[in-house]
Amino acid sequence: ALSYGSLLEGAVLTETGFAWPGLGRYITDSLFNADMNAVLGGTIVVGTVYIGLNLLSDLLYRLLDPRARA
């Protein structure tokens, strides 16, 4: 889950460098156009996905590992 979060953070650089459409490029273009609402919205989306994946991995770890149930 943490690796996927790092991939989300790297998407901004990758999508900007290769001119691919996506959330990372949207955030970068919005930043250059001074559209702070779009930048904050994109940041909240990335942060929410990151937190959700961490929560999901913690819950699955507790469910699947018998040592963590005690």
Side-chain angles (χ1 to χ4, degrees):
L2 293 176
S3 297
Y4 187 72
S6 298
L7 289 174
L8 280 174
E9 295 169 4
V12 174
L13 179 64
T14 304
E15 290 174 3
T16 304
F18 291 110
W20 291 343
L23 184 62
R25 184 161 178 198
Y26 176 71
I27 293 172
T28 305
D29 290 343
S30 299
L31 186 63
F32 287 136
N33 292 328
D35 186 7
M36 288 302 135
N37 290 331
V39 173
L40 289 173
T43 305
I44 288 173
V45 167
V46 171
T48 303
V49 169
Y50 189 78
I51 290 171
L53 287 173
N54 282 326
L55 179 65
L56 181 67
S57 68
D58 286 343
L59 292 175
L60 285 175
Y61 179 75
R62 185 165 172 86
L63 180 70
L64 297 176
D65 190 6
R67 296 174 293 173
R69 293 181 191 160

